[in-house]
Amino acid sequence: IRSVLEQDFADFELIVVDDGSSDGSADIVEGIADERVVLVRQPRNAGGNVARNRGIELARAPLLAFLDSDDFYLTNKLSVVTRTFAERPEIGLLIDSYAKKYLPEGKRGDVSCRNPRLDSNAEVLEALFTRRIWKATPGISVRRDAAIAAGLFNPALKRRQDFDFILRVAAVARCATIDDVLWVKTYST
């Protein structure tokens, strides 16, 4: 949450969907005094895709970006994404690049997961199926109308939900990738 609040682009809403947690994290979110932060409490744990879909349904913004609780944005994530969509109104989904950070630090080196710049669905899908792009849900930004037209995230999937979502959005909108590293995925070793 802190990484979103520290963005160099300030015109956003942060919808935090608590998926029935029992660790007190929802109470921490509730204590954040920032009107851009909206907490939604799910009555029970229904899985990440249900939580993401709830956030999409409640979002008022035309652009959506996702963030998992163990990852964080670099300070320019939202400004780069919004600028890219503004400069490229033909795209409906954007996949950016990220860094892998292993914790505790020093035990294993960090890795940069930099995507090639691709500008068409044919290029993106070919790279997706040949594993030439790094994709993870926090690296996906999408126009809200494209996400809805694609049918949102599939709640039945426990794995590869990002892969499935990209495929379904590609059926209704143009996709692209960029090589800008905009967020960090953390791993515990």
Side-chain angles (χ1 to χ4, degrees):
I1 293 170
R2 184 178 305 119
S3 74
V4 178
L5 297 177
E6 293 174 351
Q7 290 294 297
D8 60 10
F9 177 86
D11 186 19
F12 62 82
E13 62 180 341
L14 173 58
I15 300 173
V16 178
V17 180
D18 175 62
D19 193 28
S21 68
S22 58
D23 62 0
S25 55
D27 296 331
I28 293 169
V29 174
E30 210 165 55
I32 296 172
D34 190 312
E35 62 187 25
R36 298 172 297 179
V37 179
V38 177
L39 173 64
V40 178
R41 291 181 188 246
Q42 300 282 85
R44 61 178 174 73
N45 180 278
N49 290 342
V50 170
R52 288 182 189 100
N53 289 344
R54 183 76 174 126
I56 292 168
E57 291 164 354
L58 294 172
R60 295 171 300 176
L63 296 177
L64 308 173
F66 306 96
L67 184 61
D68 295 336
S69 61
D70 55 346
D71 303 323
F72 61 92
Y73 286 168
L74 299 177
T75 57
N76 63 336
K77 162 83 173 183
L78 296 180
S79 62
V80 170
V81 166
T82 55
R83 184 175 62 249
T84 302
F85 276 100
E87 292 171 354
R88 310 231 5 246
E90 74 280 5
I91 63 171
L93 181 139
L94 180 69
I95 304 168
D96 59 46
S97 301
Y98 62 97
K100 290 183 184 179
K101 183 172 202 57
Y102 293 93
L103 303 172
E105 292 195 44
K107 215 173 178 187
R108 192 170 170 187
D110 298 343
V111 177
S112 179
C113 301
R114 195 176 293 272
N115 287 319
R117 286 187 169 265
L118 304 172
D119 290 322
S120 73
N121 284 14
E123 290 177 310
V124 171
L125 293 176
E126 190 269 335
L128 186 65
F129 280 101
T130 58
R131 297 180 177 210
R132 289 188 307 108
I133 58 172
W134 297 93
K135 49 93 191 121
T137 307
I140 297 171
S141 300
V142 64
R143 293 188 192 278
R144 184 175 181 273
D145 58 350
I148 291 169
L152 306 177
F153 285 88
N154 183 341
L157 294 179
K158 301 293 181 215
R159 298 182 61 224
R160 307 272 186 215
Q161 63 270 20
D162 44 13
F163 193 98
D164 174 74
F165 185 69
I166 294 166
L167 289 178
R168 289 187 299 102
V169 173
V172 299
R174 185 167 173 181
C175 300
T177 63
I178 57 175
D179 59 359
D180 302 68
V181 174
L182 299 178
W183 62 284
V184 176
K185 182 166 193 58
T186 60
Y187 293 91
S188 296
T189 55

